[in-house]
Amino acid sequence: MSTIKGGFTRRNVIKTGLTGILATGVAPLVFSRGAWAQDFCNNPTGSTVTFGLNLPLTGAYAEEGADEQKAYELAIKHLNGEGDGGLLNVLKPSALKGNGILGKKVQYVSSDSQTKSDVARAGATRMIERDGAIMITGGSSSGEAIAVQSLCQELGVIFMAGLTHSNDTTGKDKRRYGFRHFFNAYQSGIAIAPVLGEEYGKERRAYHLTADYTWGWTQEESIKAATEALGWQTVQTVRTPLGAADFSQYLTPVLNSGADVLILNHYGNDMVNSLTQAVQFGMRDRQANGKQFEVVVPLFSELMAKGAGENIKGIFGTSNWHWNLPDEGSKAFTKSFGAAYGSPPSQAAHTAYVQALLYADACERAGTFYPPEVIKALEGFEFDGMGNGKTLYRAEDHQCMKSVLVVRGNEKPTSQFDVLNIVKEIDRETANYDPAIFGGELGAAEPVPQCR
Amino acid sequence: MSNFMSRKDLTLFLGFAAVVLLLPILATPFGAAYPDLLQRFMIFGIFAVGFNILFGLTGYLSFGHAAFFGVGSYAAMWSFKLLSLNAIPAILFAVVMSGLFAVAVGYVSLRRSGIYFSILTLAFAQMSYNLAYSVLTPITNGETGLRMTLSDPRVIDGLFTSASGAPVPSLFGMSLSGWNGFYFTAIFLLATFFLSMRISNSPFGMMLKGIKSNQNRMNYTGFNTRPYTLTAFIISGMLAGLAGSLLVVTDPLAGAERMQWTASGEVVLMTILGGVGTLVGPVIGAWLIKYFENIFSSFNDNVLNNFYSFLPDGLREVVVAVSGKFVGEGWHLSLGLLFVLIVVFLPGGIMEGVRRIGARFGHMRKGSKSSARVGATAAVG
């Protein structure tokens, strides 16, 4: 009997103790978190404001991530009034003063997204919940961008997408809190198809190798539609895993497929590997169907061209921007990036830099960091001087409408940076499309979700 | 009543519960007190405790546990998409699905033991990963990851309300993001911990330990060990599924990466780091690895420069350059070093270290007690 009694007493003591702990230590936390009366997530109250940079520093797109990081660091310097001011001097109209944003000094925290959506989300959440980031930016995979964008919508933090080219980012997966400056696969299709028609003729049989995720899928769809409109046939489309080091098992069937064009819907290291292997397979020296066999890479950048070396010569693709463009904005950016890092910026660096500036400018114009007001300032904003001519942040889908470049691997490079030639600049009107074709819903800006 | 739980177990459980529930305060000095990371602490704690039932108690090293974790995630997400945004049906569905999957995988793999078992599970996990990544993309959405959309049917929710705004998981209307999500997952970790404690003390647990120490002897004494190992395998698969579903509840995106072999290896590391076969060890191992992954990887040169700001300029640059290799994207390097150190000096994991320290203190206390007793007797004498 006494043991039972003792047991009960002990239990009672411990129970009371635990209730005490809960009541004093934990419960207040639960109630007070919401009651902090923060009007929105990470409202900067001190003298600084924090950007969250979510960058792939490892994985298939690591090179782009590293270049984006340089660009963000440069943008933050310029926003704070350090350095030569870069594009602050040429952005029109501009509310930027070079004293931070709304008088608050800009600083940043960063996270390695490893080119994986799961990790990117975890990193973004950390930067929002722990480090108090007011805005998340970066990323160089559409998988990441879409994952982080929907997270930002849930937490009520603005996401300024970095390198993301999938139609879905501002199409069926668009979000009110997400903005994209980079162009998309559909625009690549509009831009590259006429050039391909002129160069390679109207009777071609294409074989697609496609990175197996949202960007690859939509690019394959867009390029397929654009080339089929030319009169080309699509022999087959094959999906390859992201980050595959060896593409030979996917390249061998191309040789006997009756195709005479290989379209590589790959990016970053994947594209460098698949193109190099395709060349090693002798594809560029082949004749098929009585024509020269050709390789097309619908989206590529100077980083990839550098990586692919000799193999990129003569290959067609599209780009968002190129450092060789003659306008004031491009010159200013190339100059200050070159002065800081000793190499010309890539298109990834350019889009990252511009996104940071556009966010800052929108805050200045809105006069607050309150996200719904900043969103209003960005929606339908028309600006010039950032290197792509007159540009519009379309309100319907948060996609920047601007000119698009068709590029070709340089046959006679004069330096290690001179790897691409601009073949054609497609103007904004031609690259335009109806935002309704991809469906999707932006969702609401208000009520602003509370992030903790 | 006193048979229900020994005093020692009760203290351990209550101590564990106190630490878990007070984590938002205890983790503050380490910069880890934000909901997302603490949720991960809970979720991967469950994963590791479940894994330990198979590896620590039964002695079967599975190299494919991430597969069950992933199945749980996808199952929970489909429940959110098709049935309801409520977390309870999603978790139940996920546990059932991963349990069924564990029956299938376990039935085949457990025909072998030792390294052959490990390879079989690895093969199954790698198959599931590839299925999720590129074959079953209509179900898993491949690399992009499975998400909820406004247009999902959600049959049960549709009966009651018309939803508006971005869909997020909830518990009968209560949001499960942020701190709510932490306490929600903490309850599950405590329940899992309790379960693993009860299993380890039960006759069933004794049987599993017997299998671990010598399966042949068990067979010769007339036990059929297969049902026991299969049960352990299923329980641990279901707990992995539970963990996977909780990750989707708190962060509604299911990606294929969480089924990769690295994820399976990670839970093995967690268990070994903390202490194989101990109750608390796997949880500590899980926390340590998640801490490294989320905090160490966030240190960039900026942070390091601030940290070492007390050093003179030249020296600081050197120190930052050297230590920069071990943090940021180099966090794996520091984790690897830590792992080597622990395996070499504390083969029983961190719990062995704790036990050694405890034994030293216990020794001292015993020593002082006995001397006190000697003093007392002397006084009486």
Side-chain angles (χ1 to χ4, degrees), chain B residues 3 54 65 91 93 131 137 145 164 200 209 227 243 247 249 263 275 287 290 298 335 354:
Chain B
N3 284 342
L54 185 66
H65 247 52
I91 291 172
F93 183 54
L131 284 175
T137 39
S164 61
S200 134
K209 285 176 196 163
L247 192 57
V249 168
W287 291 0
K290 285 294 143 188
S298 73
L335 184 64
V354 172

Side-chain angles (χ1 to χ4, degrees), chain A residues 24-299:
Chain A
T24 53
V26 183
L29 279 179
V30 180
F31 298 116
S32 63
R33 295 277 163 182
W36 270 352
Q38 207 187 23
D39 11 332
F40 57 93
C41 187
N42 296 330
N43 186 3
T45 45
S47 60
T48 58
V49 55
T50 308
F51 285 2
L53 313 182
N54 208 9
L55 306 162
L57 299 173
T58 50
Y61 301 158
E63 287 243 12
E64 278 74 13
D67 224 42
E68 283 182 18
Q69 177 159 18
K70 290 180 188 167
Y72 283 122
E73 283 170 6
L74 193 66
I76 288 167
K77 261 188 207 155
H78 291 167
L79 285 174
N80 286 333
E82 298 157 28
D84 61 3
L87 290 184
L88 254 62
N89 310 320
V90 285
L91 172 63
K92 270 183 293 230
S94 166
L96 293 169
K97 302 180 187 73
N99 63 346
I101 307 176
L102 297 172
K104 294 182 194 292
K105 189 167 183 280
V106 184
Q107 53 182 25
Y108 73 93
V109 289
S110 64
S111 171
D112 176 12
S113 67
Q114 302 175 23
T115 325
K116 293 180 181 171
S117 331
D118 264 7
V119 183
R121 264 175 92 103
T125 320
R126 169 181 59 76
M127 294 191 286
I128 294 168
E129 288 183 345
R130 190 189 69 155
D131 305 329
I134 182 77
M135 177 270 279
I136 298 293
T137 180
S140 68
S141 141
S142 293
E144 277 178 18
I146 290 171
V148 174
Q149 176 167 293
S150 60
L151 174 91
C152 286
Q153 176 94 7
E154 282 157 27
L155 296 180
V157 172
I158 289 185
F159 175 63
M160 302 296 282
L163 198 69
T164 156
H165 186 245
S166 170
N167 295 340
D168 292 346
T169 313
T170 50
K172 90 179 163 43
D173 291 313
K174 63 190 169 198
R175 291 285 184 274
R176 182 68 66 183
Y177 281 76
F179 289 86
R180 167 162 72 178
H181 171 261
F182 209 67
F183 71 138
N184 63 23
Y186 188 80
Q187 293 177 309
S188 280
I190 300 176
I192 202 170
V195 178
L196 291 181
E198 270 167 40
E199 291 283 331
Y200 299 149
K202 309 263 180 216
E203 280 172 27
R204 282 283 187 169
R205 294 165 62 79
Y207 193 107
H208 287 256
L209 287 186
T210 303
D212 195 359
Y213 72 105
T214 171
W215 167 67
W217 302 337
T218 63
Q219 175 161 308
E220 177 191 289
E221 187 190 310
S222 296
I223 300 295
K224 199 173 148 205
T227 50
E228 282 177 359
L230 278 179
W232 289 22
Q233 282 177 312
T234 307
V235 180
Q236 202 167 359
T237 57
V238 173
R239 306 275 163 90
T240 66
L242 178 64
D246 182 12
F247 289 90
S248 48
Q249 54 166 320
Y250 304 105
L251 288 166
T252 323
V254 178
L255 300 172
N256 304 316
S257 64
D260 46 36
V261 178
L262 173 64
I263 299 182
L264 293 175
N265 297 308
H266 289 152
Y267 197 77
N269 274 344
D270 278 8
M271 173 269 178
V272 172
N273 288 338
S274 63
L275 179 64
T276 308
Q277 284 175 357
V279 173
Q280 284 164 356
F281 271 59
M283 291 203 184
R284 301 198 65 191
D285 310 318
R286 279 182 85 232
Q287 299 285 318
N289 308 333
K291 302 183 192 87
Q292 175 67 34
F293 192 94
E294 301 289 352
V295 181
V296 177
V297 182
L299 174 70

Side-chain angles (χ1 to χ4, degrees), chain A residues 3-45:
Chain A
T3 51
I4 291 174
K5 203 176 159 197
F8 270 123
T9 329
R10 188 174 68 235
R11 273 172 59 81
N12 282 339
V13 168
I14 291 165
K15 253 159 98 184
T16 325
L18 192 67
T19 326
I21 291 172
L22 277 173
T24 53
V26 183
L29 279 179
V30 180
F31 298 116
S32 63
R33 295 277 163 182
W36 270 352
Q38 207 187 23
D39 11 332
F40 57 93
C41 187
N42 296 330
N43 186 3
T45 45

Side-chain angles (χ1 to χ4, degrees), chain B residues 88-100:
Chain B
I88 301 295
I91 291 172
L92 287 177
F93 183 54
V95 171
V96 169
M97 285 308 286
S98 51
L100 289 177

